[in-house]
Amino acid sequence: FAFPAHARAAIYQTAILVGISRFLRFDPFYFWGLTQLIMAIQHLTFIAYEGKPCTSAFACLQRDIKSAIKESSAGSWRFELLDRPVPVDHSFFREVGSYRYVDGNNTLYLARVQKGVAFVVGTAALLNQKEFSLSEKVSHHHLRNLLYPGESVVVTANRNSEVEVVPFKNDSKDFLCLTRGHWRLVNLGLIESLLQRNINDPVIVSMVVEAARALSFLRYGTLILFPYDEMNLPAFAGMIDKSPLGEDLRKHIKGKFIGDLVGGGQFLNILSSDGMTIISRDGKIIDTGVIVSNQEMSPTQGGGGARTAAAKAASRYGVALKVSADGPVSVFLQEQLIYSTL
């Protein structure tokens, strides 16, 4: 290494990867094979095709395919075995077909670790990509329909050049994410538990968290307030759309249930239209597209941009969920940041 800092950076990244692989391994023989899969996906995030980030995914199975894959998934997925197993190394994604044919969105590789080495043994493809919404896909819901808990680890490279490592353990929705060289734990389960303080139905909570995750993936910002009291809300400075058409559309959105909006594909559009959306305990839209008044913002709040200041101000009236335009999802309560995926 030309400089000691380079050596320290390489050692740090290697140590983190070793720690992750040791934590996720099924048994001692899976350690290096799982490391190979993560390293191959990391390498893919540095590749672009026609100016766009390349994507793909591995499902590392603990046992043989028949034992690890749910029988009920046969109606949703098509499985194909390769003529011969292909070992995974740093050159696995060298050719275009390796990541264009299997892009990790609707298709993924099925991998097994044998004698410490990872081999791709087949592929799995969704039969009907419209069966799962974007929110369900980016929250890995469609993969939970494919794999048994505790039987696999999924490693993906997404369109934001991030590495996601998803351990399918019980009903956990948490996963590890490598963004700009830093690993972080995305604890969706913790976000759900925080929102359940103000939302009665866990199904509604799950819909909101999946929508927040989808907006984070799409790099759209939003702010959602779940008030303690619907009659006690922060002061508004105005609306994002004051036109007669905007007011009419907003009037028709108010009072609708989240479940109906999710089913009709409107929920993400509403949340991503800027301004703040207010949702009641029973999952109804109280208001949307509102701008929090500057009078609500304390001069001592400091730090962050306008959306962060608005989230802190709104959190005096309930639980505020903020999605930043650059990805992180944050929860605020009583003007304090409680959790962030940053």
Side-chain angles (χ1 to χ4, degrees):
F1 293 96
F3 301 100
H6 294 172
R8 289 196 297 269
I11 293 171
Y12 169 77
Q13 291 294 337
T14 302
I16 291 293
L17 182 56
V18 167
I20 290 172
S21 300
R22 286 177 64 87
F23 172 71
L24 296 173
R25 65 182 180 177
F26 307 116
D27 60 54
F29 297 104
Y30 275 75
F31 162 68
W32 178 240
L34 186 55
T35 303
Q36 288 176 305
L37 296 179
I38 297 175
M39 291 175 65
I41 287 291
Q42 281 185 263
H43 179 72
L44 182 61
T45 62
F46 291 96
I47 302 175
Y49 182 74
E50 295 183 341
K52 302 293 184 181
C54 297
T55 64
S56 193
F58 294 111
C60 183
L61 309 178
Q62 179 177 4
R63 298 185 291 177
D64 61 272
I65 294 178
K66 291 183 178 179
S67 301
I69 291 177
K70 293 182 178 179
E71 295 180 3
S72 60
S73 66
S76 302
W77 293 83
R78 179 182 70 251
F79 306 103
E80 296 178 349
L81 295 178
L82 302 182
D83 292 338
R84 61 181 63 86
V86 178
V88 178
D89 56 23
H90 66 280
S91 63
F92 184 84
F93 291 111
R94 178 177 295 171
E95 302 298 333
V96 175
S98 61
Y99 49 82
R100 297 297 287 179
Y101 296 154
V102 183
D103 66 355
N105 298 312
N106 300 311
T107 54
L108 69 157
Y109 288 108
L110 300 176
R112 292 270 291 131
V113 176
Q114 300 170 355
K115 297 182 179 179
V117 180
F119 292 88
V120 166
V121 295
T123 62
L126 279 172
L127 292 174
N128 180 11
Q129 60 176 322
K130 295 182 179 180
E131 181 179 351
F132 300 96
S133 67
L134 173 65
S135 297
E136 291 174 323
K137 284 185 179 179
V138 300
S139 297
H140 312 113
H141 182 75
H142 64 308
L143 298 178
R144 299 177 196 284
N145 181 56
L146 168 67
L147 304 165
Y148 283 115
E151 299 294 333
S152 58
V153 173
V154 174
V155 186
T156 72
N158 65 30
R159 72 176 203 174
N160 297 314
S161 297
E162 297 173 324
V163 177
E164 295 179 356
V165 180
V166 188
F168 284 85
K169 296 183 178 180
N170 301 320
D171 294 325
S172 173
K173 298 181 180 180
D174 308 334
F175 61 94
L176 294 163
C177 184
L178 177 65
T179 306
R180 295 189 289 271
H182 295 280
W183 284 98
R184 55 195 173 92
L185 173 65
V186 179
N187 195 333
L188 299 181
L190 176 58
I191 296 176
E192 288 191 354
S193 67
L194 292 171
L195 296 186
Q196 284 172 358
R197 298 182 179 192
N198 277 37
I199 302 181
N200 301 327
D201 190 344
V203 175
I204 293 175
V205 171
S206 180
M207 289 180 180
V208 170
V209 172
E210 285 187 354
R213 168 62 187 148
L215 292 174
S216 170
F217 177 79
L218 295 170
R219 296 302 193 256
Y220 289 149
T222 193
L223 175 59
I224 311 171
L225 173 65
F226 306 92
Y228 301 124
D229 182 357
E230 296 179 24
M231 304 303 294
N232 182 27
L233 301 174
F236 302 155
M239 306 295 164
I240 60 167
D241 188 344
K242 299 178 181 178
S243 68
L245 175 60
E247 287 294 327
D248 199 14
L249 292 173
R250 176 169 152 262
K251 181 179 70 175
H252 285 85
I253 292 171
K254 292 168 66 174
K256 281 189 165 55
F257 284 101
I258 290 176
D260 296 333
L261 295 172
V262 170
Q266 299 171 279
F267 193 43
L268 290 184
N269 296 339
I270 293 170
L271 294 180
S272 63
S273 59
D274 211 354
M276 181 173 69
T277 299
I278 306 173
I279 300 176
S280 68
R281 287 179 177 270
D282 57 356
K284 286 183 180 180
I285 301 292
I286 299 175
D287 212 336
T288 188
V290 301
I291 301 173
V292 179
S293 172
N294 290 334
Q295 297 176 354
E296 295 286 355
M297 301 179 190
S298 169
T300 60
Q301 285 177 348
R307 186 174 284 120
T308 298
K312 289 180 178 179
S315 67
R316 297 204 301 269
Y317 298 85
V319 180
L321 178 66
K322 187 200 81 166
V323 180
S324 300
D326 56 352
V329 180
S330 307
V331 180
F332 292 86
L333 190 62
Q334 296 298 322
E335 300 187 72
Q336 299 297 318
L337 174 62
I338 303 301
Y339 174 72
S340 176
T341 61
L342 181 63

